[in-house]
Amino acid sequence: MLGEHGQVLGSEVGSLLTDKPDVAVAIRHPGIVQAIQENRLRVTVGWNGLAGDCGHRVPLFLFTLPAPAMQEFTREEAAYRRMLTGRQVHRTCDRLTLTPGGYCQSTALALDTRRSLPPFLPVFRGEDVAFGQLLRFFQPDAAIAYQPTSLLHVPAASRANPGGGLDGMAGHRSQSGLLVALLQLAAPSPAEAPADPGTLARRAQEILRGDFFELLAANQLRQEGEQMLRSCLAQLLAHPGAPGYWRRDLEAVIRSLHAAAQCPDYIYPAELSECRPAAERAGTLRDVLTAYFELIAAWPALWSAAVKLRERDGVTPARPIGGPGRP
């Protein structure tokens, strides 16, 4: 598994297309072809497929399946209930697949740390998404390689979604969506010269200190809920002949999403609502995000200091796994 990542990490995408004719490439915007031709895209992150517990507490994706998969999902009620509660998936690709950086989903990642990378904070949910957005800013030439191999994820303690996780859909809000929105607002426009991390952090902190931050947070988190609501409504309307048990479950989710959006507390991420009194939530949210951007501003200096310590004193925060004589 490590060898497969070692063969592509750090490689230029153009050279991989020459060496591996069966590779798949995501062509998502006009500039990608030119970037490949000019060898400006380099593989920075590797990803493995996943078999087993997917980690989703809220299995909304099961209700937005394309028609053939949805028919299989709802064919038998007992199997339908098992899939809702069991969290078991197999998600992979059938060949080495390359795509520009931006979207990132963790579980099993390989990172090319020969170049500086943005910080990855494994706390709360959605930090992998924030890392992907930061990677796009720190390294516009970064690409992600999806390997056609899967890792088995079987937690030591069996996990399940009680009731299929349907009751939790209305409360599924995360601060990562707001964090990504701030990154996108603070990032320079295509017409501007690339900004350094300090400039990005300063712009984001100005937004956080502004009078309209709470309004931005409220609208961002409500928008996430509205997107879930629209997806559920579209599925319900698209499948009038679906089994009654599926329709009743989805109708219950729609009603809970609609009711939750009317609650003033809905604008705060679920993690914050669980650990802070109502009067402290807005201030805590602002403080957490401000501290995050302070880290972004300091990150290049922290990375540089770590490199100097390693080169001068052999000090490293990680243990080498390559064996004697290997980096």
Side-chain angles (χ1 to χ4, degrees), residues 28 33 38 48 60 77 79 84 115 149 164 172-173 243 257 270 283:
R28 292 181 178 171
V33 175
E38 297 175 358
N48 285 101
L60 181 63
E77 184 173 6
L84 275 183
R115 297 193 294 170
T149 53
H172 187 63
R173 305 177 304 284
L257 285 169

Side-chain angles (χ1 to χ4, degrees), residues 84-132:
L84 275 183
T85 59
R87 306 175 16 153
Q88 302 299 303
V89 303
H90 182 206
R91 186 181 187 189
T92 189
C93 52
D94 62 0
R95 68 192 71 184
L96 177 65
T97 302
L98 307 173
T99 182
Y103 175 75
C104 180
Q105 182 183 16
S106 61
T107 296
L109 293 179
L111 306 174
D112 184 0
T113 58
R114 289 169 291 190
R115 297 193 294 170
S116 62
L117 296 175
F120 189 115
L121 304 180
V123 294
F124 296 139
R125 287 188 171 256
E127 296 299 337
D128 42 3
V129 178
F131 172 78

Side-chain angles (χ1 to χ4, degrees), residues 13-196:
V13 168
S15 67
L16 289 174
L17 292 176
T18 301
D19 298 339
K20 300 178 181 294
D22 62 339
V23 72
V25 180
I27 307 297
R28 292 181 178 171
H29 54 79
I32 187 70
V33 175
Q34 183 178 353
I36 291 173
Q37 291 173 340
E38 297 175 358
N39 280 332
R40 287 191 282 112
L41 284 179
R42 188 178 297 273
V43 176
T44 303
V45 178
W47 181 88
N48 285 101
L50 172 70
D53 190 319
C54 67
H56 275 282
R57 294 178 296 184
V58 180
L60 181 63
F61 65 94
L62 288 173
F63 287 92
T64 56
L65 294 170
M70 206 282 288
Q71 290 170 3
E72 178 66 21
F73 172 48
T74 60
R75 182 170 53 87
E76 181 183 276
E77 184 173 6
Y80 162 79
R81 297 293 175 197
R82 284 197 302 272
M83 282 188 271
L84 275 183
T85 59
R87 306 175 16 153
Q88 302 299 303
V89 303
H90 182 206
R91 186 181 187 189
T92 189
C93 52
D94 62 0
R95 68 192 71 184
L96 177 65
T97 302
L98 307 173
T99 182
Y103 175 75
C104 180
Q105 182 183 16
S106 61
T107 296
L109 293 179
L111 306 174
D112 184 0
T113 58
R114 289 169 291 190
R115 297 193 294 170
S116 62
L117 296 175
F120 189 115
L121 304 180
V123 294
F124 296 139
R125 287 188 171 256
E127 296 299 337
D128 42 3
V129 178
F131 172 78
Q133 292 294 321
L134 279 174
L135 184 66
R136 175 178 287 177
F137 174 79
F138 272 66
Q139 294 185 12
D141 62 342
I144 297 178
Y146 295 88
Q147 293 284 355
T149 53
S150 301
L151 290 179
L152 188 64
H153 180 216
V154 182
S158 179
R159 301 172 184 170
N161 291 326
L166 302 180
D167 295 340
M169 283 192 184
H172 187 63
R173 305 177 304 284
S174 172
Q175 45 87 41
S176 61
L178 178 57
L179 179 59
V180 169
L182 285 168
L183 285 169
Q184 293 171 342
L185 287 170
S189 69
E192 294 180 276
D196 59 89

Side-chain angles (χ1 to χ4, degrees), residues 174-288:
S174 172
Q175 45 87 41
S176 61
L178 178 57
L179 179 59
V180 169
L182 285 168
L183 285 169
Q184 293 171 342
L185 287 170
S189 69
E192 294 180 276
D196 59 89
T199 301
L200 176 76
R202 188 182 70 253
R203 289 178 174 179
Q205 288 171 330
E206 288 172 356
I207 297 170
L208 283 163
R209 290 192 296 268
D211 295 335
F212 294 99
F213 166 69
E214 288 186 39
L215 189 59
L216 170 67
N219 278 276
Q220 174 64 33
L221 293 168
R222 282 203 174 101
Q223 184 180 40
E224 292 178 9
E226 289 168 1
Q227 288 173 343
M228 292 173 66
L229 183 58
R230 281 196 297 271
S231 295
C232 292
L233 281 168
Q235 280 293 88
L236 194 65
L237 294 171
H239 300 285
Y245 49 83
W246 178 85
R247 293 184 62 85
R248 286 190 293 274
D249 282 348
L250 197 51
E251 288 169 1
V253 170
I254 289 169
R255 285 194 293 270
S256 65
L257 285 169
H258 179 70
Q262 315 307 314
C263 175
D265 191 49
Y266 188 72
I267 70 170
Y268 297 110
E271 301 97 337
L272 197 57
S273 298
E274 293 166 2
C275 67
R276 286 288 185 275
E280 298 178 10
R281 288 169 192 162
T284 301
L285 182 61
R286 194 188 301 259
D287 290 345
V288 168

